[in-house]
Each structure stands twice: as C-alpha cells, then as structure tokens.
Amino acid sequence: MLRKIFLLFSASAVMLSACSDKRPSSETTALEQAAMQAQTPAPEVSYLTRDPGPGRLTPETLNSDISLSGTSLRGAKISPKGDFVTVLQGRADDARQQDLWAYDLESGEGRLLVSSTDILGAPEELSLEEKNRRERRREYSRGIVSYDWAGDDLLLFPLGGDIYLYDLEAKEARQVTATKGFETDPKVFGAGQYVGYIRENNLYVKDLKSGLERQLSDGATELIRNGIASFVVQEELDRYTGYWPSGDAQRIAYTQTDDANVKTRTRAEYTSDGIINVQQRYPFAGTPNATVKLGIVGIKGGATKWVDIGAEKDIYLSRVFWSQDSKTLFAGILSRDQKSHKLLKIDPATGASKILFEEIHPAWMNVEVSYKGLKDGSILWSSERNDKWQLFRVSTDGETAGEFTPVTPPDILMTRLNCVNQDSGELYFTGWKDTPLERHLFKTDLDGAEAVQITKASGIHSANFNTACERYIGTFNSTTTPPQSRAFKNDGSALAWLNENKLDDSHPYAPFMQADIQPEFGVLKAADGTDLHYQIFKPLDLKVGEKRPSVTIVYGGPHGQRIYNRWRLGLSQMLAHHGFVVFQIDNRGTGNRGKAFEAPLYRNMGRPETEDQQIGATWLKSQSFIDPEKMGVYGWSYGGYMSLMMLGQTNDYAAGVVGAPVTEWQLYDTAYTERYLGNPNPGSPNYTKGSYEQSNVWPYLDGITEPFLLIHGMSDDNVVFRNSTKLMDEMHKLGAQNMQLMTYPSEKHGFRRTHNKVHRSRLILEFFLTELE
C-alpha cells in the first residue's frame, strides 16, 4: 500500500509540474521552454488491466464449478458384451460431482445409471484412510470416483464408505456392505463372483453369490496394516493398492506394512474451526521407512504363506502381479538407494523366490513400468535400458530366463501399454515418435513388427480397449479442441460419439472463444545442445512497438512435463487476458524425454533446471515485445521451489509468486528425495557430500532482493507447512522486507475449496498487476 501511495503521489507531482510548465512567464525564452519540456519525463504506459472486459477469463470464471472445458467423462470402460460404454460423468452444474452413466456404442445415446446423491441422501462421509488415499491420487472429485464390472450385468462401486452393486437388468442399485467401518479399495474378481476390500486395516473378501464375507488377514493394529500401500509407495511409486487376487481367484497376495519405525511428527492443521494437532508418521529423507511383508492367502482363508522377498528389509515393494496361469507371482523390489530394481519370481505354494532379472542404473531407476503376464509364461515389461521407455518381452523359464527381447521400437517413447490380443499377437500402445508435445496410439505385435501409428490428429490421444482389443474408447484434446471422447474400431475407424464436447454456441467456453489465445511453440538449446521446448501466450491486443510485462510459469521437476499440444484453460490464459505475456519452458530433468534428459538432476537439484530456465529468460528478454525490467515468475510445489531458486540465482525477474515450496529437502519424503539427492546422513553408503546443502534454497536467499509472495495451505501433508515457516524465519534473520504472505486454513497441497481457489488466483493476479505495472 505504501508503494502504491508513493506512486500516486509521484504521479501527481509530475502532473502538477507539467501543468505549471504549460504557462511560462513572459520572461521565459523559447530555448528555456524547450529545455524544461525536454526534462519532463514521458508518462509510462501500462498495458495491464484489472478489468479485462467481457469474454476474458477472470479468477472467478477460471475456478467456476461449471467447467469451461465442457463436460468430462472419466473411467470409461467398454461393457463385457461390447455393446455400450460406462463412464463417470461430472454434472453440468458441478463438474466435480460425478455420477455413473452408460452410452450406446452405435448410437451414442446416453443414460444416467446411478446418481451419487440419490443413493446416500446426505453428504458423503469418508474415512481418514480414504481421504489420504484420494489425496495421494490427486482425486478431487466427489460422488462416484471409481467402479468395476462384476460380470456381464453388474457394476460395483464404493460410495460413502460402503460398497454398492448396480444391476443393469433390474435397473437398480443394492448395497453390498453396510457396516460401521469404512470399506476401501474394492476389487471385483473371479468372473464377478468375489469382491475384495479393506476394512479397519484388514483384508476381506465377499462371495456375491452366497453373501458370505471372510476376513483373510489378521494382526492389524494402528501400526500394522494389511492390504494397504504405505505413504511413500502411494505418493512416489504410484502403487495405490496392497492386494492382488490371482486370475483363477484361488489366492490373494497382499502386503503387511509396519509403520513402527516411521517417526511420528506433530503437524498442526489450521482450520477455520481451530487447530488440529495431527500425529503423522511421515518418513522425512534419511529416516526409517515402513517395513513390508508380502503374503499369500487362499480365497477361503487359512494361514498366510509369507514370501521370501530377500534378506534386505530396507526396500520398496514396487509392483506385484500374477502370471496368466496364476501359478507364479512376480514382485518388484526397488533398493533403498533406487539404483537397483529386481523382479522376483515366486512360487505361491511355498513362498520361495528367485531373481528373474535385475536392472541397474548409476543414477536411479524409474519404476513407472507397464507389465503383463502372457499365456506362454513370458511377461511384458517396460524399461528405460535404451534411454527411452520401451516395451520388452522377458522370458521367465529355462536357459533364456530373464532375457529381454524388444517389442516396441527404440525411436518411440512408450508411455502406456494399452491392450494385447494374445490370439492374434496384436499389441497396442501409446507414446510419441516425432515430438514430445503429442501422444498417439500405435499398433505392433508381440514379435516386434514395425509400429503403425493409428491416431492422426495433432494433440494428445489416449485409448481404453475392450478385452479382445476390438474396440476402444478414444479421448483427444489439443490447444484448439477441449477433451472429447469417441468409440473407435481398433483400426481407428470412428464409431459413436460419447462426448463430442463440440465448441458451439452452447458450449460453456463459447462466450470466451473470441478472446481465446493460442500458444506459440518453439525450441531453444540448453548449454549442452539439448532441445528445450517452450510455449508462449501473447495478449490479443499486443501491438507492434509495445513492450509488455511477462510472467514465466514454472514447474521444472522430475516427471513434470508441462509443454504439450493440449487443451489448457488455466493461469496462463487468464494472465494473458489481463495483459501479460506468459512463458513456459521444460528444462532438463522434466519427464517423457528419456533418462538422459532427466539425469542432470542427480545429486544436483535446483541448479541445472535454473540454468535452462535462464536460457528461456534470456531469449524472452531479447523479444521486441518484452519489457526486460518487468518479468515475473510463478510456480507451485516443485515450481514454488524453482521460483525461489530462479529469484535467488539470477537477476532476470522483478517479482515472483512462490506456492507451497520445498525449501529444505530434508523435510520431504524418503522415496522421492533420496532418489535424486541420496541419503542426507553422512554415515549412509548413499550419502553424497553437499548434495542437500547446495540443493536447498538457503544458500541463495540473500540473492532474493525482489518482492515475492509466499502462498501455502496450512494443512498440507505433502510439502508440509514447516517448509514455509522455516523460509519465513530465514528471511526474517536476513532482515528482508520483500516477502508477502498468504496462508489458507484447511487446504492441503491441492486446493479443494472453490472460494479459496478463486481467492488464490485473484491474489496472484493482483500481485503481478501491482509489482509489474
């Protein structure tokens, strides 16, 4: 406010001086008049606006419960009979409230199967475990968030802590469980006869034909949990389940995790109703993890057979799956330092195991693998052994056991295995070949024939096939096309629209179409010659000769690709509508470019990313339409960390917004942090001197002289609030006066409340409007 008053006072003084100079006395000579006029500064021109006018995005429209992107379909699955598709669909008046719908594959006609609010008749209640599980999955929708087919005519879904079945013939839902406890992670198996679930840290199975429920595990306490993935495995290894039924429905493999060694931290959650002191077992880097056991139990219960997963207990159980004949169990074992990933071959009758293969990398092993057991006993397994993700066929028996044979070509980075028809040998996968800005569907076969690209339109494609790979539900979006869904034959021939989401006059985005800003894409070179992809949004009213303020939006962290040819209605578009040029670049270390592109982060976070971002800043400054003195930066999470590093290590930016940042990597969890920086304890074999010290923000704070706004949710259990409180304290020690602060009660890492999302967007906008005007 003081700065604004000073600016107004200064402007007024200039105006008064200018007014007095307009009427010189008769003694003033023409030469003196010219001299005085030359000394009068020309008024600065501001191209920014707080009122962008009709048809432009504002914080309120951007965060409306009515999605400007139109209707969305999630969880699309083709029915076992192949005649229609079931989907989770957000409501027109509330995109986050999801119901269960069905669409005919031929006609595209849709009908509501289950209304999530009609069943409960009251607001949904969730257990703490389910809340945490959804937070790990970044699941912010309400109502029905998952479902499974249970045979040809039954659909199973969890809601309000219980499990329900929907009968397609009777057209009604019935309740499967009705207990005081909360059932989570339900799975249907055995041709729809059984459903498994977790209740009060134990594994249960229910026979849907007889109605009999069996408890298959025991020994559960607050610390010992059966069938539930540990915190870091969910958050960092993308394994959200802890049990796996065999294909023949005779056995279930499950985990038993023990959190006794994980240190308890008191984390205060600040809410509008008061302060809640949460005792959370959070494994900060360098501290003990939960220990895990892998057991196998019969479908009818009995004693659990514990598997030999090796003598080393300080490991991560990464993946578990069955062979197609259910005679073998496979388990991935990732070492604590994450340089080794072994796949164990397990005899379910005895629990004995042996190493089928081991993959090693001098930096770290990524475990975002696609896998599948085949009927000949071999398995499909994805690997980065040739730098890019590639699918291989791995033999499991005989002299060739553990040998890798390529299935997908090395010049295509595979992102997902979509479908395998073992009778025909056809295989479908998603990935990119020509540009990382797109995703396409490809077809090959199990023998590694030449891959054929099926999808054609430039943008982001994904596919969900039926079991026989005959048809798929294709979703597509691009910078000009909001997300849409359609049924296709496996050769790409179009069937019925499921959600055309056409940008016509009735679309929610129609009032904003005339002001739509399309990004321009380009490539810059890193210092080592690596291609760095960028995008830039320019205001529609940008004229030749103008120099605009800019905002760089950054993430920059591992697996954090942000530059795609995809639909995006976010902060970039809104800031551009208010007059800013908006810039983004994917630095080295971000994902989907191959292992070599990620590797510069090894023991060195925060510096190579900043070097690449500075290349982007240098290019941006050189553009004729950029005011180099009025460049800002914004980031959230790892992007918040990067905002601090970019402000502290460079002189490129005049202001920054820092959202939910990691400030000290010892305050983040084991699996993520140790993957890149090693163990912070000097006595550890995975310790690298200086890796944490140089990657934390503290050495660079004295370089942050520009004003910045710090934002954090006060109940964040991912990047804990302590990161920001420590930053506040360190800035106070420096005597800095350039930090502003906004905290949000009850909000975690991903904001859920609409009014807080609006407030945050408005705050960011106002900060840049003030600091970069």
Side-chain angles (χ1 to χ4, degrees):
M1 181 59 72
L2 288 176
R3 181 175 182 272
K4 286 186 178 180
I5 293 172
F6 174 76
L7 287 173
L8 289 171
F9 177 81
S10 300
S12 299
V14 169
M15 289 178 66
L16 287 172
S17 174
C19 289
S20 64
D21 289 343
K22 286 180 180 179
R23 295 175 180 169
S25 65
S26 57
E27 290 82 14
T28 304
T29 67
L31 185 61
E32 289 172 333
Q33 293 178 36
M36 285 190 291
Q37 290 174 358
Q39 292 172 6
T40 303
E44 291 189 11
V45 178
S46 176
Y47 301 104
L48 305 182
T49 178
R50 283 179 167 79
D51 181 12
R56 307 295 176 99
L57 292 179
T58 65
E60 292 73 22
T61 54
L62 183 65
N63 295 287
S64 171
D65 283 338
I66 300 175
S67 173
L68 297 183
S69 295
T71 55
S72 61
L73 306 182
R74 301 184 58 196
K77 299 177 183 180
I78 298 179
S79 66
K81 296 178 181 178
D83 51 351
F84 63 91
V85 171
T86 48
V87 297
L88 299 175
Q89 183 167 319
R91 296 180 180 176
D93 61 345
D94 187 351
R96 296 181 182 89
Q97 186 71 38
Q98 294 186 156
D99 300 320
L100 185 58
W101 283 67
Y103 285 86
D104 186 275
L105 269 180
E106 298 294 338
S107 68
E109 182 180 351
R111 67 184 188 276
L112 174 66
L113 298 181
V114 183
S115 166
S116 56
T117 51
D118 287 352
I119 287 182
L120 293 181
E124 183 181 19
E125 294 184 12
L126 300 174
S127 67
L128 178 61
E129 181 62 43
E130 180 62 15
K131 290 178 181 177
N132 291 337
R133 176 182 161 86
R134 292 191 186 187
E135 183 68 25
R136 300 285 78 77
R137 296 183 71 98
R138 308 296 187 264
E139 175 57 74
Y140 302 131
S141 296
R142 301 180 296 272
I144 302 174
V145 298
S146 65
Y147 72 96
D148 281 301
W149 279 93
D152 289 344
D153 298 304
L154 294 175
L155 290 161
L156 179 141
F157 57 93
L159 186 64
D162 285 310
I163 299 172
Y164 294 82
L165 277 173
Y166 181 80
D167 190 317
L168 290 165
E169 292 187 353
K171 297 182 179 180
E172 63 180 13
R174 70 174 186 266
Q175 199 164 351
V176 176
T177 62
T179 65
K180 293 182 179 179
F182 288 82
E183 285 80 29
T184 61
D185 195 16
K187 297 178 186 177
V188 178
F189 59 99
Q193 181 176 352
Y194 301 105
V195 57
Y197 44 86
I198 305 299
R199 183 171 66 231
E200 296 177 346
N201 291 339
N202 268 318
L203 172 64
Y204 290 81
V205 65
K206 189 165 190 174
D207 189 324
L208 295 178
K209 291 182 178 180
S210 67
L212 178 65
E213 179 188 79
R214 288 191 177 93
Q215 179 178 328
L216 299 186
S217 67
D218 55 26
T221 66
E222 290 186 359
L223 297 178
I224 297 176
R225 299 181 300 158
N226 296 301
I228 300 174
S230 67
F231 169 87
V232 292
V233 169
Q234 290 187 47
E235 182 67 32
E236 309 303 353
L237 300 183
D238 293 329
R239 177 168 68 77
Y240 300 101
T241 188
Y243 73 99
W244 302 267
S246 61
D248 62 6
Q250 297 303 301
R251 296 184 175 100
I252 299 180
Y254 71 95
T255 60
Q256 184 177 87
T257 58
D258 187 345
D259 286 331
N261 293 329
V262 182
K263 294 183 179 180
T264 301
R265 316 286 179 173
T266 300
R267 178 174 56 81
E269 290 195 355
Y270 298 87
T271 73
S272 57
D273 297 324
I275 301 174
I276 302 172
N277 289 317
V278 178
Q279 300 297 312
Q280 180 181 1
R281 292 184 179 272
Y282 187 99
F284 289 121
T287 66
N289 276 320
T291 57
V292 62
K293 296 167 65 177
L294 180 62
I296 302 172
V297 64
I299 191 67
K300 296 181 180 180
T304 294
K305 179 70 66 177
W306 295 107
V307 173
D308 177 10
I309 58 174
E312 179 57 64
K313 302 303 179 186
D314 195 9
I315 53 89
Y316 300 102
L317 183 64
S318 62
R319 299 290 183 266
V320 178
F321 62 101
W322 289 90
S323 63
Q324 186 160 318
D325 63 8
S326 300
K327 294 181 179 179
T328 304
L329 182 69
F330 298 98
I333 305 296
L334 182 68
S335 60
R336 174 71 183 255
D337 65 10
Q338 300 185 56
K339 296 176 183 291
S340 163
H341 194 204
K342 301 173 183 176
L343 188 68
L344 301 183
K345 181 181 178 182
I346 300 161
D347 182 349
T350 65
S353 68
K354 61 181 178 180
I355 298 173
L356 179 62
F357 62 80
E358 179 179 13
E359 295 190 276
I360 299 174
H361 196 279
W364 72 85
M365 291 294 305
N366 287 317
V367 294
E368 295 181 349
V369 294
S370 296
Y371 51 87
K372 181 179 179 63
L374 300 177
K375 62 184 180 181
D376 67 354
S378 65
I379 62 172
L380 291 173
W381 183 264
S382 61
S383 171
E384 290 181 299
R385 56 177 46 211
N386 295 328
D387 185 51
K388 291 182 179 180
W389 282 111
Q390 191 177 354
L391 193 66
F392 296 85
R393 194 169 183 174
V394 184
S395 174
T396 62
D397 289 308
E399 296 181 357
T400 62
E403 289 188 3
F404 281 60
T405 302
V407 173
T408 62
D411 62 336
I412 299 178
L413 189 148
M414 190 205 75
T415 57
R416 184 189 175 193
L417 171 62
N418 296 101
C419 194
V420 180
N421 184 323
Q422 296 188 63
D423 294 330
S424 67
E426 295 174 341
L427 182 145
Y428 299 84
F429 68 97
T430 304
W432 67 266
K433 180 178 182 180
D434 299 321
T435 171
L437 275 62
E438 299 184 2
R439 296 290 182 272
H440 287 281
L441 178 65
F442 295 87
K443 175 185 176 181
T444 184
D445 63 31
L446 289 170
D447 294 326
E450 182 179 356
V452 176
Q453 183 174 316
I454 294 175
T455 52
K456 305 300 180 185
S458 296
I460 305 299
H461 296 264
S462 63
N464 189 347
F465 281 80
N466 69 332
T467 304
C469 307
E470 298 164 334
R471 293 176 170 183
Y472 69 90
I473 304 162
T475 60
F476 170 73
N477 73 96
S478 69
T479 60
T480 58
T481 307
Q484 52 184 208
S485 301
R486 191 169 191 173
F488 294 88
K489 295 180 181 178
N490 59 12
D491 62 358
S493 301
L495 296 172
W497 279 108
L498 305 176
N499 180 33
E500 187 174 6
N501 202 16
K502 189 176 181 180
L503 269 177
D504 55 21
D505 292 341
S506 64
H507 195 277
Y509 192 58
F512 305 91
M513 274 302 296
Q514 288 189 343
D516 182 67
I517 301 174
Q518 287 296 305
E520 299 174 14
F521 296 101
V523 177
L524 300 176
K525 292 288 185 181
D528 62 1
T530 302
D531 285 348
L532 304 175
H533 291 264
Y534 72 83
Q535 67 180 9
I536 188 167
F537 292 80
K538 298 176 183 177
L540 293 176
D541 60 353
L542 179 64
K543 296 180 177 62
V544 175
E546 292 180 353
K547 288 187 176 293
R548 292 292 184 101
S550 66
V551 176
T552 293
I553 297 180
V554 62
Y555 180 77
H559 307 162
Q561 183 181 2
R562 291 296 183 269
I563 311 303
Y564 293 95
N565 177 9
R566 66 176 178 180
W567 181 257
R568 179 174 297 167
L569 293 179
L571 193 63
S572 301
Q573 190 90 210
M574 188 196 72
L575 288 172
H577 279 170
H578 285 78
F580 296 94
V581 173
V582 181
F583 179 77
Q584 287 180 280
I585 188 170
D586 277 342
N587 52 253
R588 287 169 299 161
T590 54
N592 294 316
R593 292 284 304 280
K595 194 58 181 289
F597 190 78
E598 290 183 309
L601 297 192
Y602 181 66
R603 304 298 194 260
N604 194 31
M605 295 171 83
R607 294 192 297 175
E609 309 98 295
T610 303
E611 291 173 7
D612 291 353
Q613 291 292 331
Q614 192 165 23
I615 288 172
T618 300
W619 176 85
L620 194 61
K621 286 180 180 180
S622 71
Q623 303 307 299
S624 61
F625 51 86
I626 293 295
D627 186 337
E629 302 300 320
K630 296 181 178 180
M631 292 171 53
V633 59
Y634 162 79
W636 190 268
S637 191
Y638 199 99
Y641 164 73
M642 282 297 300
S643 293
L644 288 170
M645 297 299 256
M646 290 160 69
L647 289 168
Q649 295 183 46
T650 77
N651 295 315
D652 295 324
Y653 306 99
V657 176
V658 176
V662 175
T663 58
E664 180 172 291
W665 284 107
Q666 291 91 330
L667 298 178
Y668 205 61
D669 67 56
T670 51
Y672 183 95
T673 314
E674 294 175 14
R675 182 185 305 151
Y676 309 110
L677 296 181
N679 194 303
N681 300 316
S684 168
N686 193 34
Y687 170 74
T688 298
K689 184 178 180 180
S691 64
Y692 279 78
E693 291 79 4
Q694 69 188 14
S695 297
N696 292 335
V697 303
W698 315 130
Y700 313 101
L701 291 188
D702 58 359
I704 304 178
T705 58
E706 305 82 4
F708 73 93
L709 169 64
L710 174 63
I711 305 174
H712 212 136
M714 300 179 78
S715 297
D716 196 330
D717 63 351
N718 183 357
V719 180
V720 294
F721 191 53
R722 184 179 166 192
N723 281 275
S724 282
T725 58
K726 190 159 187 177
L727 174 61
M728 298 174 211
D729 188 50
E730 292 299 322
M731 294 300 291
H732 297 160
K733 290 177 183 177
L734 292 173
Q737 300 292 320
N738 57 322
M739 181 181 69
Q740 300 177 32
L741 175 67
M742 178 57 67
T743 58
Y744 289 87
S746 302
E747 293 291 6
K748 293 186 180 292
H749 199 57
F751 281 24
R752 291 176 179 267
R753 299 182 176 186
T754 299
H755 66 274
N756 283 340
K757 293 179 182 180
V758 172
H759 188 277
R760 178 178 59 179
S761 297
R762 173 63 64 183
L763 185 71
I764 294 168
L765 174 61
E766 289 294 333
F767 176 83
F768 283 129
L769 285 171
T770 300
E771 299 299 336
L772 300 180
E773 63 184 357

